[in-house]
Amino acid sequence: MSNLYNEMLEFAKQNIAPYTKEIDDESKFPVDSFKAIKNKKLTGLLVPKEFGGMGLGFYEHTQTILAFANYCATTALCYMMHNVATNCLATHGSDELKKEILPKIANGEVMLALAYSESGTGTHFYIPEIKVTKDEQTLFMNGRKSFVTSAEYADYYLIDANSFDNIGLDNWIVSKELAGVSFEHSAWNGLGMKGNASCPMILNNVKIDEKYRIGTSGTGLDQIMNTVGPFFIIGLAAVYSGVAINACNTIIEYSMNRQYSDNSALCNIPTVQNHLADIYTKSTSAKFFTLSASKSVIEADPAALANVIAARFNASEIAVDVCTKAMKIGGGTAYAKRLTIERLLRDSLAAQVMAPSTDVLTTWLGKALTNQEII
């Protein structure tokens, strides 16, 4: 593992961990964490060097998110979605569009987010109902996105919509400053990931310039499946692997410090030792499976797609399992919310429903393993 992971762990410990409790307690977007992320120019992780960015790629994306999630799943999730949108722009955007936005991202001036989910299509975010229409020479975007992470806190949103001049989809970069863009903040009250500001985004006759379309007409689905999808899915694998590692580290430390009247510790109990062994094995396996799957993409392994999907599913299942078992070890202290395990358990549960859901993922994995088209 490169030094980047350890460097990002230390960064997260200093600049993300101090705000995690406040983020959860107050359902507050991680403003302070992102201020530090922007100051360190980590918004430009995937921005090519020619535009002032760090010029890094898929594996470094995975490492950084995993490190952030060791301390705050919400921050890691929001950062991941910024990276996914940035990478789509950097990979498929026109030279004009890249020159306009990428240097600002690299310099920490702006942040991006995804706006894909819609209530009418659920986890199948690649089947949008939102439309772009053309009235003489003016383009209008209309519709409603249901769960937009970093809503209002991001400056630009990657939005998929039905193409106005072709069959299929288009991806667009849409500024929150455009007239007709609004957010329904009161709609978000999450069980976990409480600070990610996930709420509906309303687009009411939003005038958009064609230069903000990413790629050529009708290529949006291809972008989603080959660029957005892999970065997004491995990103979620990293988020939930980080949640599992966080729970593991937390409960091991607690078991060593929990003293009884005879001066023995909780970790001296054989049953607890067995549980800790299981927690460590599972959380560490999620971490290294995720990193290995990411590396298989870089190495063009024929099984790379299956590996990425499997890593996400595996991390999602392990995070819930590890956090549940850690709650059991923590006992009344954990259930009284005097340990962070309760928060981590709530965060882990989002893995099962976040698009693409674990049920969708297993279908995709079965298709990938048998050389079938996923969609």
Side-chain angles (χ1 to χ4, degrees), residues 58 84 87-88 91-92 116 125-126 171 218-234 297 304-305 308 364 373-375:
F58 198 81
V84 171
N87 183 64
C88 185
T91 304
H92 299 288
Y116 274 2
F125 55 84
Y126 45 84
N171 273 314
T219 61
L221 182 59
D222 180 70
Q223 294 171 27
I224 289 171
M225 298 309 298
N226 296 308
T227 303
V228 173
F231 274 80
F232 184 78
I233 293 171
I234 201 65
V297 172
L305 176 60
V308 167
W364 285 7
E373 282 192 39
I374 288 178
I375 296 180

Side-chain angles (χ1 to χ4, degrees), residues 158-175:
L158 181 66
I159 295 179
D160 63 330
N162 291 294
S163 181
F164 72 92
D165 59 354
N166 205 334
I167 297 172
L169 311 179
D170 291 328
N171 273 314
W172 297 81
I173 288 288
V174 177
S175 169

Side-chain angles (χ1 to χ4, degrees), residues 47 166 213 287 336-337 354:
V47 174
N166 205 334
R213 176 163 60 180
K287 171 184 174 181
K337 301 184 181 182
M354 187 170 292

Side-chain angles (χ1 to χ4, degrees), residues 159-221:
I159 295 179
D160 63 330
N162 291 294
S163 181
F164 72 92
D165 59 354
N166 205 334
I167 297 172
L169 311 179
D170 291 328
N171 273 314
W172 297 81
I173 288 288
V174 177
S175 169
K176 71 174 181 181
E177 301 299 333
L178 294 179
V181 174
S182 62
F183 301 90
E184 295 179 0
H185 268 296
S186 60
W188 177 243
N189 182 21
L191 172 69
M193 300 287 188
K194 294 182 72 174
N196 71 6
S198 183
C199 68
M201 178 181 188
I202 312 302
L203 299 119
N204 183 21
N205 282 333
V206 177
K207 291 183 181 180
I208 52 175
D209 191 310
E210 194 168 343
K211 74 174 182 177
Y212 292 101
R213 176 163 60 180
I214 296 179
T216 56
S217 173
T219 61
L221 182 59

Side-chain angles (χ1 to χ4, degrees), residues 108-135:
E109 296 174 40
V110 301
M111 172 185 165
L112 273 58
L114 297 177
Y116 274 2
S117 298
E118 296 181 15
S119 57
T121 54
T123 63
H124 301 281
F125 55 84
Y126 45 84
I127 312 175
E129 295 179 335
I130 197 166
K131 296 189 182 298
V132 175
T133 55
K134 189 170 186 178
D135 184 3

Side-chain angles (χ1 to χ4, degrees), residues 67-368:
F68 288 3
N70 269 253
Y71 292 99
C72 180
T74 289
T75 302
L77 180 72
C78 297
Y79 177 76
M80 180 272 285
M81 294 195 182
H82 162 80
N83 274 357
V84 171
T86 297
N87 183 64
C88 185
L89 171 59
T91 304
H92 299 288
S94 66
D95 289 341
E96 179 186 10
L97 190 55
K98 288 190 285 189
K99 287 176 183 177
E100 177 182 342
I101 300 177
L102 289 181
K104 296 178 183 177
I105 296 173
N107 199 40
E109 296 174 40
V110 301
M111 172 185 165
L112 273 58
L114 297 177
Y116 274 2
S117 298
E118 296 181 15
S119 57
T121 54
T123 63
H124 301 281
F125 55 84
Y126 45 84
I127 312 175
E129 295 179 335
I130 197 166
K131 296 189 182 298
V132 175
T133 55
K134 189 170 186 178
D135 184 3
E136 296 182 354
Q137 298 304 311
T138 305
L139 296 176
F140 294 95
M141 180 177 285
N142 280 281
R144 182 180 185 270
K145 293 295 184 177
S146 55
F147 290 102
V148 179
T149 296
S150 306
E152 199 165 24
Y153 292 94
D155 301 281
Y156 293 92
Y157 298 82
L158 181 66
I159 295 179
D160 63 330
N162 291 294
S163 181
F164 72 92
D165 59 354
N166 205 334
I167 297 172
L169 311 179
D170 291 328
N171 273 314
W172 297 81
I173 288 288
V174 177
S175 169
K176 71 174 181 181
E177 301 299 333
L178 294 179
V181 174
S182 62
F183 301 90
E184 295 179 0
H185 268 296
S186 60
W188 177 243
N189 182 21
L191 172 69
M193 300 287 188
K194 294 182 72 174
N196 71 6
S198 183
C199 68
M201 178 181 188
I202 312 302
L203 299 119
N204 183 21
N205 282 333
V206 177
K207 291 183 181 180
I208 52 175
D209 191 310
E210 194 168 343
K211 74 174 182 177
Y212 292 101
R213 176 163 60 180
I214 296 179
T216 56
S217 173
T219 61
L221 182 59
D222 180 70
Q223 294 171 27
I224 289 171
M225 298 309 298
N226 296 308
T227 303
V228 173
F231 274 80
F232 184 78
I233 293 171
I234 201 65
L236 288 178
V239 168
Y240 293 109
S241 295
V243 169
I245 292 291
N246 193 338
C248 177
N249 292 338
T250 300
I251 203 62
I252 288 175
E253 181 180 4
Y254 174 74
S255 73
M256 294 170 68
N257 293 327
R258 173 67 170 93
Q259 298 289 318
Y260 293 99
S261 57
D262 62 356
N263 292 322
S264 66
L266 180 61
C267 64
N268 296 139
I269 301 172
T271 302
V272 172
Q273 294 165 358
N274 291 337
H275 288 331
L276 292 176
D278 185 51
I279 286 171
Y280 178 81
T281 300
K282 287 177 177 176
S283 59
T284 305
S285 70
K287 171 184 174 181
F288 284 106
F289 187 3
T290 295
L291 290 169
S292 177
S294 180
K295 190 167 284 187
S296 75
V297 172
I298 305 303
E299 296 170 349
D301 186 327
L305 176 60
N307 291 342
V308 167
I309 297 172
R312 150 76 158 106
F313 177 74
N314 181 65
S316 302
E317 296 289 292
I318 282 178
V320 175
D321 186 34
V322 162
C323 290
T324 301
K325 189 159 287 185
M327 285 288 291
K328 186 176 182 180
I329 296 173
T333 302
Y335 279 86
K337 301 184 181 182
R338 291 196 288 270
L339 291 176
T340 60
I341 300 299
E342 178 265 346
R343 184 196 79 229
L344 294 171
L345 176 58
R346 287 188 284 103
D347 286 346
S348 74
L349 292 172
Q352 301 177 43
V353 298
M354 187 170 292
S357 69
T358 50
D359 288 336
V360 172
L361 281 170
T362 51
T363 302
W364 285 7
L365 181 55
K367 289 182 177 181

